């Protein structure tokens, strides 16, 4: 046979694809699902980042920002004044939580306060108000602008007044948009925007109040009105980093560093989830191609008989695979645009910025490349089987069997096995490369690829084991005993393992072992999708349950922040006198400090060392080295709820000597962040007074007590006389929290009260937004599994037609045949659901206990509902691919025999 050109091979491949449109339509859809998920995730991330960069200065409202939790020192104030004298503009933004109420109502509401200088803020962008008035007119010493949600919750209108701290303010406008909303603190309540001078009259701002301060800077402009080059911004940044070492410095070129770091991490995670759907799609392509090649054995044998070599035949089907992968990739890119448009809807509560729809070339190239690569690699094993097709055995298989010696057949199989092993290793290597590519981490790539391989093998083995047990049951020889087998004369059913099964059920179960039916692979693919989406759901439900438990029982469900030293006594007295309060109120003093050094190293040296650690490479960062110090109310024992995990708590004698020889205990996360252990030393600065303490112990907190507010505990003598602010926690009946908040607000308007139940609801809503995105992408994997199932059923269409014809010839009705097929599809779905749910519960339990430190809660109804839903979807997918076979007339098919 002459050399086969690529043009001729392509024509043959296209002709075969035209004769199997239904099967290859599912193949294209399998690839498109994964490509759509991957392209949508990467496209959204790129578009969001591009929008951030485009509006970088407006989103920061400045050229540079210095963020800190501590008031500026005298040295820092002098340095800022020097920068302003050199031509740089500066303004301060103060953000904090507080309580507000309608004037005369005394029904308090937790609000997010933001104080600015309306004469200078913002340097870039614009605050949009309704009615449209200048910001300087809206924010005076007696007026504020608020969010529309505050008006709704307090039943107010523009022109009414609210009470904030010790002052009353008239509402002048509604805040519709702030340029730097993404750069500010998380909004736990409605926004109240006011001037710095107005905030000073409220009594809320004290030296030790829990506030976030952002110092915004703008470099001088040139004569033509343009900002100076990036060199000027970089120079100012270097000066600020030297001037304010504890602050988080960022400039507009980073487009919000905290947000972009979170975006990068989320993009990597979601891309890996999309890669799972893509791998499942490639598995579906491989299964469909194997089924297709099984049906084309006669054609392959004829081509080889005419002189075609294995390479020439493989060229045809390789081009066929390329065309299918390319078609699926192009369709996936189109669907990916829809995924990209869906993301802002799923993240509506988290995003205050909607990126414009744009086709990102990098995301398109990544999606198409990943789709083609996975399709080619996963179809490599069935394509290699073409080499083992022997024309004489195929053409003579109906009259005789192969008479090759056993050794010859065994050696031939061994040679093919080595090629398959090499192909499998190539697939794993490609998975590692793709996972590394989409996650931007070689370690994550290896872990993901190995985890995916292990999960697929485990699911495949579990599915095969369940099918084997089912088959043993049907044979009446289930493990542990023998049962009757065979048809019972004159009976209407079959007795297996002591149970009588109806014929339709028996036939439907037996169809799972139809020749060429890849049941175990189907179950593994569908089970992996179920495992993904169910594990995310179980984790979410367990976290929400834990949050509800944290707000119940006798644990504090109201937290008080920013109490002065003069207020803590009267507040404690008020709480103890209220009958609605249960237990003893928890009061914790907090001293704000700066980190100066560790083990004799300065802060600058410590930061340089942190840049080289694995923790920094993984992106584990804190906003600034601002520390909260406290003392234990139990003296020589840890605070309630804390457990020592390293070292030993100090003795009474060590506590008495703490004024001269300070010791400190660290919360475990703080110790991990600082890379310290018992025996190391930490140097603090409180009001510019340095203090060095030796680490005595590392402890863990349960996060349910007020004492978890501070991460550093010292003996009382070490903190005596230092400026402090008090925090508290109290438990009362949930129905009485409103009354207790009102009583506290009437007596102490500057004390902020946080209702845990309300705060947990805000966190729950945010958590749900994130979960929606993850479940949305996990659903692609479930859908991929269903498409694989439909593709495999479409591949057995000819066998099913013959089966339908035989059953109809024997008198079976359409209803009986439909029952047989429905039982087959339902059992496939129920077994896949069971395997996936067991794996999901194990994965969720491991994640919750080992990684997230939450209690695992078995979700009975969630498991049952998911199991039944998977069974129903499997039946629907099965009939979608095979409903036409019921209409076949027996005579039409029998005439072809």
């Amino acid at each position: 046979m002459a050399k086969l050109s690529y043009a001729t091979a392509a024509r043959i491949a296209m002709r075969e694809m035209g004769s199997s449109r239904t099967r290859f339509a599912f193949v294209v859809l399998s690839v498109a699902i994964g490509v759509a998920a991957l392209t949508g995730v990467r496209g959204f991330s790129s578009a969001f980042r591009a929008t951030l960069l485009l509006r970088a200065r407006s989103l920061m409202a400045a050229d540079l920002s210095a963020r800190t939790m501590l008031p500026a020192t005298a040295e820092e104030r002098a340095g800022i004044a020097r920068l302003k004298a050199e031509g740089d503009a500066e303004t301060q933004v103060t953000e904090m939580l507080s309580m507000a109420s309608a004037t005369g109502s005394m029904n308090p509401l937790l609000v997010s306060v933001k104080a600015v200088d309306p004469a200078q803020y913002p340097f870039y962008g614009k605050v949009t108000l309704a009615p449209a008035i200048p910001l300087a007119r809206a924010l005076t010493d007696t007026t504020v602008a608020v969010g529309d949600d505050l008006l709704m919750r307090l039943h107010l209108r523009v022109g009414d007044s609210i009470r904030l701290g010790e002052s009353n303010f008239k509402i002048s406008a509604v805040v519709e948009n702030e340029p730097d909303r993404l750069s500010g603190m998380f909004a736990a309540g409605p926004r109240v925007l006011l001037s710095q001078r107005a905030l000073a009259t409220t009594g809320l701002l004290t030296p030790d109040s829990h506030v976030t301060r952002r110092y915004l800077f703008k470099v001088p402009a040139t004569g033509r009105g343009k900002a100076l080059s990036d060199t000027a911004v970089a120079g100012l940044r270097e000066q600020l980093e030297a001037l304010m070492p504890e602050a988080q410095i960022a400039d507009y070129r980073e487009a919000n560093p905290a947000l972009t770091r979170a975006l990068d991490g989320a993009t990597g995670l979601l891309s890996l989830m999309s890669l799972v759907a893509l791998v499942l799609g490639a598995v579906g392509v491989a299964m469909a191609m194997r089924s297709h090649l099984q049906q084309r054995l006669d054609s392959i044998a004829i081509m080889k008989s005419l002189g075609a070599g294995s390479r020439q035949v493989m060229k045809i089907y390789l081009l066929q695979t390329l065309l299918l992968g390319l078609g699926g990739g192009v369709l996936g890119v189109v669907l990916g645009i829809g995924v990209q448009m869906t993301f802002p809807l799923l993240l509506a509560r988290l995003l205050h910025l909607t990126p414009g729809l744009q086709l990102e070339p990098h995301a398109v190239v990544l999606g198409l490349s990943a789709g083609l690569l996975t399709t080619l690699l996963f179809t490599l094993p069935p394509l290699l089987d073409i080499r083992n097709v022997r024309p004489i055995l195929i053409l003579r298989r109906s009259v005789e069997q192969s008479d090759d010696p056993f050794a010859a057949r065994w050696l031939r199989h061994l040679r093919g096995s080595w090629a398959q092993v090499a192909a499998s290793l190539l697939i794993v290597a490609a998975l590692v490369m793709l996972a590394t590519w989409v996650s931007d981490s070689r370690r994550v790539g290896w872990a993901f690829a190995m985890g995916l391989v292990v999960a697929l093998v485990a699911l495949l083995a579990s599915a095969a084991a369940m099918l084997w047990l089912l088959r043993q049951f049907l044979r009446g020889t289930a493990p542990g005993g023998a049962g009757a087998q065979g048809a019972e004369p004159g009976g209407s059913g079959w007795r297996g393992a002591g149970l009588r099964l109806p014929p339709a059920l028996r036939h439907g179960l037996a169809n799972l072992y139809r020749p060429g039916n890849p049941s175990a692979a189907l179950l593994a693919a569908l089970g992996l999708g179920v495992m993904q989406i169910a594990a995310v759901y179980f984790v979410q439900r367990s976290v929400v349950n834990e949050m509800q438990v944290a707000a119940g029982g006798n644990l504090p469900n109201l937290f008080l922040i920013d109490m002065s030293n003069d207020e803590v006594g009267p507040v404690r007295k008020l709480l103890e006198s209220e009958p609605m309060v249960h237990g003893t109120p928890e009061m914790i003093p907090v001293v704000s400090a700066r980190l100066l050094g560790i083990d004799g190293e300065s802060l600058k040296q410590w930061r340089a060392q942190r840049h080289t650690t694995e923790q920094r490479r993984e992106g584990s960062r804190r906003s600034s080295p601002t520390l909260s110090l406290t003392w234990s109310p139990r003296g020589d024992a840890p605070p309630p709820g804390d457990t020592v995990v390293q070292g030993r708590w100090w003795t009474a004698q060590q506590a008495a000597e703490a004024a001269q020889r300070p010791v400190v205990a660290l919360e475990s996360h703080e110790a991990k962040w600082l890379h310290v252990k018992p025996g190391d030393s930490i140097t603090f600065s409180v009001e510019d007074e340095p203090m060095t303490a030796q680490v005595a112990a590392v402890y863990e907190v349960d996060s349910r007590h007020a004492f978890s507010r501070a991460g550093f505990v010292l003996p009382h003598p070490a903190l005596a006389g230092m400026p402090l602010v008090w925090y508290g926690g109290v438990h009362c009946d949930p129905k009485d929290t409103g009354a207790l908040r009102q009583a506290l607000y009437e007596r102490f308007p500057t004390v902020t009260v946080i209702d845990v139940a309300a705060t947990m609801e805000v966190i729950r809503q945010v958590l749900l937004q994130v979960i929606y995105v993850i479940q949305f992408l996990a659903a692609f994997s479930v859908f991929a599994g269903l498409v694989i199932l439909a593709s495999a059923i479409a591949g057995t269409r000819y066998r099913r037609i013959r089966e339908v014809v035989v059953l109809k010839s024997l008198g079976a009705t359409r209803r009986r045949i439909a029952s047989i097929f429905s039982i087959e599809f339902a059992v496939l779905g129920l077994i896949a659901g069971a395997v996936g749910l067991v794996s999901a519960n194990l994965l969720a339990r491991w994640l919750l206990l080992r990684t997230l430190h939450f209690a695992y809660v078995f979700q009975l109804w969630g498991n049952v509902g998911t199991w039944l839903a998977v069974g129903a979807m499997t039946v629907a997918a099965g009939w979608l691919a095979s409903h036409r076979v019921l209409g076949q007339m027996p005579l039409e098919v029998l005439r072809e025999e």
Side-chain angles (χ1 to χ4, degrees), residues 41 43 50 77 116 149 162 201 287 292 300 302 309 314 373 448 477 481 488 498 525 532 597 673 693 757 777 810 839:
V41 169
R77 289 194 297 270
V116 301
D149 49 350
I162 63 170
T201 66
M287 292 170 59
H292 178 62
I300 295 172
I302 291 172
M314 289 176 64
L373 183 60
F448 171 81
T477 56
E488 184 176 316
Q532 268 193 293
W673 170 63
L777 291 175
L810 295 176
S839 304

Side-chain angles (χ1 to χ4, degrees), residues 624-640:
S624 66
T626 303
L627 312 178
S628 296
L629 316 180
T630 188
W631 64 76
S632 173
R634 300 196 294 182
D636 56 353

Side-chain angles (χ1 to χ4, degrees), residues 88-388:
D88 298 309
E90 181 270 338
T91 188
Q92 181 179 337
V93 176
T94 305
E95 294 173 299
M96 63 187 303
L97 296 176
S98 185
M99 308 298 291
S101 69
T103 303
S105 169
M106 291 296 112
N107 185 20
L109 174 68
L110 183 68
V111 296
S112 296
V113 177
K114 179 178 179 180
V116 301
D117 181 357
Q120 291 188 295
Y121 171 87
F123 289 132
Y124 300 98
K126 182 180 179 181
V127 178
T128 306
L129 302 174
I133 58 177
L135 186 63
R137 179 180 164 192
L139 307 183
T140 65
D141 293 352
T142 58
T143 59
V144 298
V146 302
D148 58 353
D149 49 350
L150 182 141
L151 298 182
M152 289 187 294
R153 294 176 66 176
L154 292 181
H155 307 289
L156 298 175
R157 296 178 299 176
V158 174
D160 293 338
S161 297
I162 63 170
R163 179 174 176 82
L164 188 65
E166 299 174 349
S167 303
N168 294 331
F169 298 95
K170 180 181 178 181
I171 300 174
S172 61
V174 174
V175 181
E176 294 185 340
N177 182 56
E178 306 164 63
D180 58 339
R181 186 64 179 264
L182 288 175
S183 299
M185 65 181 289
F186 172 73
R191 170 70 81 203
V192 175
L193 186 63
L194 72 167
S195 67
Q196 294 282 6
R197 292 176 57 182
L199 178 62
T201 66
T202 62
L204 298 174
L205 195 61
T206 64
D208 296 299
S209 297
H210 186 76
V211 301
T212 299
R213 297 172 174 86
R214 285 189 291 126
Y215 298 89
L216 306 182
F217 295 87
K218 180 182 179 182
V219 298
T222 63
R224 291 178 292 179
K226 295 183 179 180
L228 287 177
S229 65
D230 288 347
T231 304
V233 175
L236 178 57
R237 176 168 183 158
E238 290 180 0
Q239 295 182 65
L240 287 175
E241 288 177 343
L243 178 64
M244 308 175 71
E246 84 290 345
Q248 181 188 23
I249 311 297
D251 62 60
Y252 77 94
R253 297 170 299 176
E254 295 176 293
N256 196 316
L259 184 61
T260 52
R261 282 199 299 269
L263 181 65
D264 290 342
T267 301
L269 172 64
L270 299 180
S271 296
L272 290 175
M273 295 188 65
S274 304
L275 187 57
V276 173
L278 184 59
V279 168
L280 288 180
V283 171
V285 174
M287 292 170 59
M289 187 59 67
R290 185 179 294 277
S291 174
H292 178 62
L293 291 175
Q294 288 291 327
Q295 295 184 16
R296 306 301 298 176
L297 285 178
D298 289 344
S299 299
I300 295 172
I302 291 172
M303 285 189 286
K304 285 194 171 185
S305 298
L306 296 176
S310 295
R311 291 187 177 181
Q312 292 175 305
V313 179
M314 289 176 64
K315 183 186 294 185
I316 296 172
Y317 294 102
L318 183 64
L319 286 175
Q320 199 172 83
T321 301
L322 278 172
L323 291 173
L324 291 171
L326 184 61
V330 173
L331 178 61
V333 170
V334 176
L335 296 176
I337 296 175
V339 175
Q340 184 177 338
M341 296 173 63
T342 306
F343 266 59
L345 302 178
L346 298 174
L347 295 172
R349 286 181 176 270
L350 299 181
L351 298 180
H352 301 281
L353 175 69
T354 301
L357 180 63
Q358 52 186 340
L359 198 62
E360 294 293 333
H362 180 267
V364 172
V365 171
L366 176 61
L368 286 175
S369 301
L372 281 173
L373 183 60
T374 53
T375 302
L376 284 173
L377 288 173
F378 277 86
T379 53
L380 189 58
L383 290 178
L384 288 174
D385 286 340
I386 293 175
R387 300 176 311 134
N388 300 325

Side-chain angles (χ1 to χ4, degrees), residues 48 104 113 132 168 282 324 344 360 415 476 512 522 540 548 555 566 590 606 617 695 701 714 718 755 801 895:
F48 196 86
V113 177
N168 294 331
L324 291 171
E360 294 293 333
R415 288 195 300 269
L512 296 174
L522 288 173
Q540 176 242 331
Q548 293 172 346
L555 298 170
D566 296 331
V590 173
W606 172 75
R617 286 197 298 268
V695 178
V701 298
L714 290 85
D755 187 341
I801 289 175
R895 280 174 176 173

Side-chain angles (χ1 to χ4, degrees), residues 47-87:
F48 196 86
R49 184 182 291 276
T51 304
L52 286 176
L53 291 174
L54 183 65
R55 299 173 54 185
R57 281 190 170 92
S58 296
L59 291 173
M60 187 172 282
D63 289 320
L64 294 98
S65 169
R67 185 189 187 100
T68 181
M69 304 291 290
L70 293 174
T73 63
E75 181 183 354
E76 289 171 347
R77 289 194 297 270
I80 292 174
R82 185 172 60 254
L83 292 175
K84 294 172 68 174
E86 295 174 357

Side-chain angles (χ1 to χ4, degrees), residues 505-535:
L505 178 58
R506 173 173 57 89
H507 201 150
L509 295 176
N511 275 356
L512 296 174
Y513 309 103
R514 176 190 290 108
N517 192 357
S519 299
L522 288 173
L523 294 175
L526 186 56
L528 183 60
V530 174
M531 182 186 74
Q532 268 193 293
I533 196 168

